[in-house]
Amino acid sequence: MRPAMRVLRLQGFPIFRQLQLEERLMHKSDENWCVFNNGTSPPTIVMGVSGSPEELLDVDAVSRDGIPVVRRFSGGGTVIVDEDTLFVTLICSRKAIPSLELFPRTILKWTGELYKNVFLDNPDFTVHEQDYAFGQTKIAGNAESISKDRWLHHTSFLWDYSPARMAYLTIPRRAPAYRLGRSHGDFICKLKDYLSYREELAELLEDALGRHFCLERTRLEDVDEEEYKHRTRFVELLRSPI
Amino acid sequence: MSGEAANMVSEAGIVEVPLAQTGEGIVDCELVRWFVKEGECVEEFQPLCEVQSDKATIEITSRYKGKVSKVNFMPGAVLTPCFFGFFRVGETLLEIMISDGDGSFKLEEKENSQREREVLATPAVRSLARQLGIALKDVAGSGEAGRVLKDDVLKIASVKEAVESDITGISSTPAETGETVPADEITDFDKISADRVEQMQDDKVIPVRGFRRIMAKTMAAAASVPHFHYMEEINVDALVKLRAHLQLQTRSKLTFLPFLIKALSLTLVRYPILNSNINQDASEIRCKTWHNVGVAMATDSGLAVPNIKQVQKLSLEEIADEITRLSKLAAANKLTPDDVSNGTITVSNFGAIGGKFGSPVLNLPEAAILAVGRIQKLPRFNEEGRVYPASIMSVTLGADHRVIDGATIARFCNEWKDMVEHPEKFLLSLK
């Protein structure tokens, strides 16, 4: 019998609130979840649990333009997200997939197979190191949080992106080998060139998830608001003195 | 396990806990935060700390019950996990004083684990050996300085398996047990009977019941009906935008199907012949008043085609809710006879699974069927003659040629297509 999974579809939900919600669901819920957010507002820079803003961002430009910076609770790198970012997060208990060992690599392998079924029309879909890609171009980045009995895997897909906003991020010191020193424009591709409409990603994903889970649509107002001390927080940047 | 801390046990009962592998081989991890502090009691499996590898935060849990006697690193420290026998690359993460009342058991465990630790091997090789039930101290290492490699372990495992199966084989030969070999246990391949070949092929038998039986009978009957098919492409750019906008205004699951079904019903008003059936001797065509639109659904038990009653009276939301209701019933194998009977026309959305074109078979006694393929992003010319990416959906209409001619289908399809491509025209039909 397939385990149950609650599906939460959000539209333009602020990423800060989404991350806090996911943190709560990871640590306070024992259910399985899929959270899908179609775009976010305002444009926000999201950093992993560690990492220095001074190394990863153009701090002066970010401060000048008032771009919010959030530090999330999961690992991984820095992204800038906006109305053209599609977010997918899976939060599962160990017993949902008993054969899945809770290591980053094994989880990524499992989710890679899931997304292979999502992107059936594109035989170039592959997992490169930690990224989802079509051939040699990245379509999404991932990050995970793993505890003893639960795991979380969140992915941000670029439906479209603004080169001007990408400029707030520096090229990371540790880049995947397949990047081969390429600029953002040559390394990343836009999902809108491959799918017909934004909701199609969620629909295809639900079809793929439906093979493993018994899905149940949930509204945000039906999610328990438990007290939790979040680690997701805004980061205050220190501009260099003039 | 996400991260169980391995250990070294000192004479005083203190466990030195280095960072065990996190499932990614030997990569540096950053210590993000502690969940425990010096002097605090910990239970087995209690989270000790959180580390971050390249893309994941991982909780490290304790293998022992005891008290944290020393924490060696502050958050932000970069650690290298694992160690190789007595040659430790990683530092000790923390120390736990373990509580164990049976000194002899601890000593014996310490001696065994010490011998195991003295063998040079990576954590991955140690883990493999544990899985295969092989003690590393019994394996001759072929690597540098006697290091035990993966192949060394696998070789021992295969020898062990061979020996065990030899033992099993010897103990069960007929000569030992006194059994006679059955006459049909033939080893000469040429003499193997047809029955035996069938048994050896391990066929799976599926009884044809329920939906499968209905499908088999319906399709067999449909084979005798002269079908013809008409294909068209629909530009659904406008529909994509409208649907996205309307989905925000409703709690109903508003896929494309409700729009296609409503447009179908609105067009059927002018082409009632498509909503009809013909009697057995083809002497009479009955045009139905109600638009009971069947929706083909793939279930674990086979193809089900429940129908939405009187679509001509329903709104988009009501159609969407009916699709949701019938889908749940179909998935649970709880459709009623009324749900699946008295349909007048069928829509098959195989594009939801994948696939762009099809040759749908009529759901008798209906006279027409509409099959909808996957929406694709394809290059098209706009009014200025420039290429742009358009959302294109392929559709195939199947019809009973005894009832409907090609010209009628073509005209019907043109009007239906126009309504789908310009969904604002739905408003003209509001009463």
Side-chain angles (χ1 to χ4, degrees):
Chain A
M1 187 166 162
R2 289 170 295 162
M5 175 177 268
R6 294 176 73 175
V7 177
L8 186 60
R9 299 240 317 231
L10 305 170
Q11 181 83 24
F13 200 62
I15 188 62
F16 178 73
R17 287 183 60 199
Q18 179 187 340
L19 288 168
Q20 286 198 323
L21 167 68
E22 289 173 8
E23 204 181 340
R24 224 161 43 240
L25 294 178
M26 169 72 176
H27 293 289
K28 299 297 280 185
S29 167
D30 56 6
E31 293 177 283
N32 305 307
W33 294 86
C34 173
V35 179
F36 181 79
N37 188 13
N38 187 349
T40 190
S41 180
T44 304
I45 290 171
V46 181
M47 298 180 65
V49 69
S50 65
S52 148
E54 288 70 34
E55 279 183 20
L56 299 167
L57 308 177
D58 180 346
V59 173
D60 287 342
V62 171
S63 299
R64 177 194 68 218
D65 297 341
I67 307 293
V69 179
V70 171
R71 191 176 297 280
R72 64 177 184 266
F73 63 96
S74 58
T78 303
V79 292
I80 179 156
V81 297
D82 57 22
E83 63 278 4
D84 285 322
T85 311
L86 307 180
F87 303 91
V88 180
T89 300
L90 299 173
I91 305 171
C92 291
S93 290
R94 171 190 292 277
K95 60 185 180 204
I97 311 165
S99 60
L100 179 62
E101 283 190 303
L102 297 196
F103 292 123
R105 203 171 278 178
T106 47
I107 291 171
L108 184 62
K109 189 176 173 196
W110 188 88
T111 57
E113 287 301 314
L114 183 78
Y115 280 104
K116 204 177 273 187
N117 283 314
V118 170
F119 296 111
L120 272 177
D121 273 356
N122 199 317
D124 281 344
F125 174 80
T126 187
V127 178
H128 265 309
E129 297 179 45
Q130 306 290 337
D131 299 335
Y132 297 136
F134 287 144
Q136 294 296 309
T137 46
K138 175 177 172 176
I139 56 162
N142 301 294
E144 289 166 356
S145 180
I146 304 170
S147 71
K148 177 171 159 284
D149 290 318
R150 283 175 75 70
W151 57 273
L152 175 148
H153 177 88
H154 47 203
T155 309
S156 54
F157 291 89
L158 296 177
W159 178 257
D160 197 353
Y161 70 87
S162 151
R165 286 180 181 160
M166 280 288 175
Y168 291 121
L169 311 180
T170 55
I171 300 237
R173 186 169 44 88
R174 282 172 69 174
Y178 80 103
R179 182 166 187 154
L180 300 171
R182 289 176 282 168
S183 64
H184 288 308
D186 292 332
F187 175 54
I188 298 169
C189 64
K190 302 173 183 180
L191 205 58
K192 69 175 192 178
D193 293 335
Y194 295 90
L195 293 183
S196 301
Y197 51 98
R198 296 163 69 115
E199 294 81 5
E200 191 177 7
L201 176 65
E203 285 164 15
L204 293 171
L205 180 64
E206 283 191 21
D207 284 345
L209 282 171
R211 294 173 208 180
H212 302 277
F213 297 92
C214 200
L215 302 182
E216 179 196 314
R217 285 275 187 101
T218 297
R219 299 173 308 174
L220 184 62
E221 48 265 43
D222 295 331
V223 178
D224 291 332
E225 288 266 352
E226 284 197 64
E227 284 288 317
Y228 185 72
K229 195 175 171 189
H230 298 101
R231 297 180 61 212
T232 304
R233 64 190 189 283
F234 284 104
V235 175
E236 196 177 318
L237 298 180
L238 297 171
R239 278 183 83 166
S240 52
I242 298 169
Chain B
M1 174 58 75
S2 59
E4 276 189 348
N7 70 94
M8 285 188 69
V9 183
S10 75
E11 292 285 349
I14 302 272
V15 176
E16 292 178 346
V17 179
L19 176 63
Q21 67 152 330
T22 55
E24 298 202 316
I26 304 166
V27 294
D28 289 343
C29 296
E30 180 183 334
L31 177 63
V32 177
R33 61 172 171 160
W34 286 106
F35 295 120
V36 298
K37 52 185 188 292
E38 288 179 2
E40 188 175 330
C41 290
V42 295
E43 297 290 327
E44 196 180 2
F45 304 128
Q46 179 176 339
L48 295 173
C49 63
E50 187 177 58
V51 300
Q52 184 192 207
S53 65
D54 201 33
K55 285 276 188 174
T57 53
I58 307 164
E59 277 183 9
I60 304 298
T61 53
S62 175
R63 275 187 68 189
Y64 285 92
K65 179 178 173 175
K67 186 188 277 193
V68 178
S69 60
K70 194 175 176 198
V71 163
N72 288 333
F73 291 95
M74 297 302 290
V78 176
L79 310 163
T80 302
C82 81
F83 59 88
F84 304 89
F86 56 81
F87 180 68
R88 271 199 291 175
V89 174
E91 298 285 341
T92 300
L93 197 56
L94 78 165
E95 292 172 11
I96 296 177
M97 191 185 306
I98 57 174
S99 50
D100 188 334
D102 185 350
S104 61
F105 176 79
K106 198 163 61 184
L107 184 62
E108 184 187 324
E109 184 190 298
K110 191 192 96 174
E111 281 176 354
N112 280 338
S113 65
Q114 227 170 19
R115 275 199 288 276
E116 283 290 285
R117 279 197 308 278
E118 283 164 6
V119 175
L120 290 180
T122 65
V125 169
R126 289 176 190 279
S127 173
L128 176 65
R130 269 197 302 275
Q131 282 170 32
L132 297 174
I134 290 167
L136 285 179
K137 57 184 169 54
D138 299 332
V139 181
S142 62
E144 197 178 313
R147 179 179 297 280
V148 173
L149 306 177
K150 181 181 165 186
D151 284 345
D152 300 328
V153 172
L154 291 174
K155 212 179 287 180
I156 292 286
S158 61
V159 167
K160 187 179 160 199
E161 195 184 311
V163 167
E164 282 171 355
S165 65
D166 275 348
I167 291 169
T168 313
I170 288 167
S171 67
S172 66
T173 52
E176 286 217 6
T177 59
E179 289 172 2
T180 52
V181 178
D184 62 351
E185 284 281 348
I186 299 163
T187 53
D188 186 340
F189 189 79
D190 289 339
K191 295 181 188 168
I192 291 177
S193 67
D195 285 345
R196 181 127 167 85
V197 169
E198 259 195 48
Q199 286 166 21
M200 281 162 37
Q201 282 172 357
D202 206 18
D203 292 343
K204 186 180 171 188
V205 177
I206 303 170
V208 180
R209 295 202 185 107
F211 289 141
R212 279 208 175 87
R213 176 177 286 192
I214 295 170
M215 182 177 74
K217 285 170 77 171
T218 308
M219 295 305 162
S224 64
V225 171
H227 281 65
F228 79 97
H229 294 100
Y230 181 90
M231 294 171 196
E232 180 59 281
E233 283 186 346
I234 318 280
N235 184 321
V236 291
D237 283 342
L239 188 60
V240 167
K241 282 191 188 129
L242 176 65
R243 193 194 78 111
H245 177 70
L246 288 179
Q247 180 67 85
L248 300 174
Q249 320 296 329
T250 177
R251 286 184 178 171
S252 303
K253 185 181 175 185
L254 208 57
T255 61
F256 288 103
L257 207 48
F259 293 89
L260 302 178
I261 290 174
K262 190 62 186 176
L264 178 73
S265 174
L266 290 171
T267 315
L268 280 176
V269 172
R270 288 181 293 284
Y271 294 88
I273 195 79
L274 269 81
N275 195 53
S276 66
N277 57 43
I278 191 168
N279 62 359
Q280 260 191 325
D281 62 3
S283 62
E284 202 176 84
I285 297 171
R286 183 181 288 261
C287 294
K288 302 289 192 174
T289 313
W290 287 8
H291 300 168
N292 295 346
V293 180
V295 180
M297 296 177 183
T299 73
D300 290 341
S301 315
L303 173 68
V305 190
N307 59 83
I308 305 169
K309 300 285 194 283
Q310 299 198 67
V311 169
Q312 76 276 11
K313 290 185 178 176
L314 299 182
S315 66
L316 278 175
E317 267 186 331
E318 286 165 339
I319 295 170
D321 291 342
E322 263 302 280
I323 293 173
T324 302
R325 185 185 74 83
L326 291 170
S327 299
K328 283 185 180 158
L329 289 176
N333 205 14
K334 288 193 170 146
L335 289 168
T336 65
D338 183 56
D339 289 330
V340 295
S341 55
N342 297 315
T344 60
I345 189 167
T346 294
V347 174
S348 171
N349 182 20
F350 62 84
I353 300 172
K356 302 164 190 102
F357 307 101
S359 301
V361 177
L362 288 171
N363 185 21
L364 293 184
E366 295 164 16
I369 181 168
L370 173 68
V372 178
R374 183 85 176 261
I375 297 178
Q376 298 172 264
K377 221 42 180 290
L378 295 172
R380 288 291 182 269
F381 290 103
N382 64 12
E383 284 163 4
E384 288 89 44
R386 297 168 105 162
V387 176
Y388 78 101
S391 296
I392 302 293
M393 179 176 70
S394 304
V395 298
T396 306
L397 281 152
D400 183 339
H401 219 336
R402 300 170 300 172
V403 178
I404 303 164
D405 58 60
T408 304
I409 272 279
R411 281 192 284 269
F412 169 84
C413 190
N414 286 345
E415 286 198 32
W416 177 75
K417 171 179 163 161
D418 185 54
M419 191 169 288
V420 173
E421 290 186 341
H422 304 97
E424 64 275 14
K425 290 189 177 179
F426 280 46
L427 294 171
L428 296 173
S429 306
L430 281 178
K431 291 183 182 163

